[in-house]
Amino acid sequence: MKNKVSLLIAIIGLIIFNSCKVEESINEEVLFVGTYTDNGSEGIYRYNLNLGTGELTNQTLVAKIKNPSYISFSPDRNSLYAVSEVDDYKKDDGSITTFRVKDTSLVYVEEQSTHGANPCFVGVSNDGNLVAAANYSGGNVAVYNALENGNLKPSPQIIDHKVLDSTRKAHAHMASFLNGELMVSDLGLDRIKKYTASKNNFVPSDQKELVVAEGAGPRHFAASNDAEFLYIINELNSTITMFQKEEGKYYGKQTYDTLASDFEGESFCADLHLSPDGKFLYGTNRGENTVVIFKVDETTGKLELVGRESVKGDWPRNFSIDPTGKYVLVANQRSNNIVVFNRDAENGTLSFVSQVDLPSPVCLKFY
């Protein structure tokens, strides 16, 4: 009888222990971080974000790779693609590396040329069949076909922006798939170029481009959940331009300043994201070193300034909102830290929670 009681107690204890472990795993999100590797970093790192405390723990180097300045997952989360922002993989070329994701660890698969210098963005289509790398210095975009296992076919299509303008220098900065089209923000041309698929290649779409102010420098863009509104953050003049879709085409409606009116000095915008519910838009200012916060009118798409929050560091490049929408994480490139903010879902405001040190973090992606 005593042995039976002891066995029962042991079983109950095991059940409680396993329940706690399950609860612990549910209460965490896994974060992957791309870095520049000329300042002590070695490549791509992984953290656990505790959703209860907002703390980042368990820093782990998961891939040694040079300058993985942007990373993206396949939709099934079985593959991770990382561009190396270099110009010497081959002569004047950067590279893109494919990793298999296994139990949140990365297994190297292959590395290919991006056919252009200093790639700074990689976008993946919703079905996972296409991967696009934007080459900043190369002024072009490489579009790869992906196999079922996530591997990239060689010989991608190269879309060259250098031939589009004889006076300005092309700088492809973001390449993303939206509404079945490929959209590329070109900081040097002050254009967002649009391409549609035709016979296994991308060609200029009916609306070939969206135009922002001369010298604005469009960097990144984000679309509302229904793709009715498109927001573009402009690096060089520190603004956000809102476009609205009308009869299948986007038209510019309004432009908003991201800096405080009394700010003095140089500042350059970097990244922007909508909250998961689409009610707030956030953008980063490098120089003013803030996250600017706007409330979104869900009917008109117009923005109303909520305020700004100091990033508790220097040169906020990429940032990310965790899948629950509870936290905003900012990668401060020059102060070598990642800062976690609690996000007030009702008001959109941010409040500091925690931070960790990491050399030159520049890209944050939740798994």
Side-chain angles (χ1 to χ4, degrees), residues 30-36 43-47 49 56 59 68-73 77 80-81 120-122 220 271-273 284 291 311 315-323 327-333 336-341 354-367:
V30 178
L31 177 75
F32 285 78
V33 183
T35 65
Y36 282 128
I44 301 173
Y45 293 80
R46 185 190 66 217
Y47 290 87
L49 173 66
L56 288 169
Q59 175 186 305
S69 66
Y70 206 88
I71 59 178
S72 287
F73 289 100
R77 292 300 195 263
L80 180 144
Y81 305 102
C120 59
F121 191 94
V122 55
H220 282 193
D271 197 12
L272 87 167
H273 294 284
T284 45
V291 177
V311 296
W315 218 247
R317 187 171 165 119
N318 181 240
F319 72 99
S320 185
I321 304 174
D322 88 275
Y327 297 104
V328 172
L329 285 73
V330 180
N332 290 316
Q333 179 183 342
N336 306 310
N337 63 336
I338 302 170
V339 180
V340 182
F341 296 91
S354 67
Q355 73 95 40
V356 294
D357 296 328
L358 181 69
S360 303
V362 289
C363 185
L364 307 178
K365 287 295 177 101
F366 283 96
Y367 176 59

Side-chain angles (χ1 to χ4, degrees), residues 37-169:
T37 53
D38 56 358
N39 187 37
S41 169
E42 295 184 79
I44 301 173
Y45 293 80
R46 185 190 66 217
Y47 290 87
N48 293 94
L49 173 66
N50 187 307
L51 294 176
T53 65
E55 294 182 332
L56 288 169
T57 60
N58 301 325
Q59 175 186 305
T60 305
L61 175 65
V62 288
K64 288 189 176 183
I65 176 176
K66 188 174 182 180
N67 286 355
S69 66
Y70 206 88
I71 59 178
S72 287
F73 289 100
S74 60
D76 61 12
R77 292 300 195 263
N78 289 332
S79 299
L80 180 144
Y81 305 102
V83 290
S84 285
E85 194 171 327
V86 299
D87 60 4
D88 60 357
Y89 172 70
K90 293 183 178 178
K91 180 175 170 52
D92 297 326
D93 284 358
S95 68
I96 182 169
T97 301
T98 303
F99 294 94
R100 190 81 60 245
V101 185
K102 186 175 181 181
D103 298 326
T104 70
S105 293
L106 300 183
V107 179
Y108 172 86
V109 176
E110 62 176 357
E111 184 179 18
Q112 294 189 41
S113 171
T114 59
H115 302 271
N118 301 119
C120 59
F121 191 94
V122 55
V124 185
S125 62
N126 290 335
D127 59 10
N129 292 333
L130 296 167
V131 175
N135 294 303
Y136 181 80
S137 299
N140 62 11
V141 178
V143 185
Y144 304 82
N145 287 294
L147 301 172
E148 286 187 10
N149 61 6
N151 294 4
L152 301 181
K153 292 183 180 179
S155 303
Q157 178 190 0
I158 306 301
I159 300 174
D160 192 356
H161 283 187
K162 296 190 296 294
V163 301
L164 299 178
D165 196 299
S166 60
T167 59
R168 291 177 289 187
K169 190 170 184 179

Side-chain angles (χ1 to χ4, degrees), residues 24-35:
E24 181 180 327
S25 64
I26 290 174
N27 200 41
E28 289 185 337
E29 294 285 354
V30 178
L31 177 75
F32 285 78
V33 183
T35 65

Side-chain angles (χ1 to χ4, degrees), residues 209-286:
E209 61 188 16
L210 310 182
V211 181
V212 296
E214 185 173 351
R219 182 181 172 99
H220 282 193
F221 52 85
S224 59
N225 292 332
D226 59 3
E228 180 73 14
F229 304 105
L230 187 71
Y231 301 93
I232 299 164
I233 196 161
N234 301 303
E235 175 177 335
L236 302 182
N237 70 356
S238 298
T239 62
I240 293 174
T241 303
M242 185 268 284
F243 286 78
Q244 184 173 5
K245 186 190 290 185
E246 296 176 4
E247 298 181 354
K249 297 182 179 181
Y250 285 105
Y251 295 94
K253 294 296 181 182
Q254 205 154 344
T255 296
Y256 303 85
D257 293 328
T258 66
L259 301 174
S261 58
D262 59 354
F263 174 77
E264 296 180 358
E266 284 193 324
S267 191
F268 304 92
C269 288
D271 197 12
L272 87 167
H273 294 284
L274 285 157
S275 59
D277 59 13
K279 293 181 178 180
F280 295 94
L281 180 71
Y282 301 85
T284 45
N285 291 307
R286 297 173 296 173

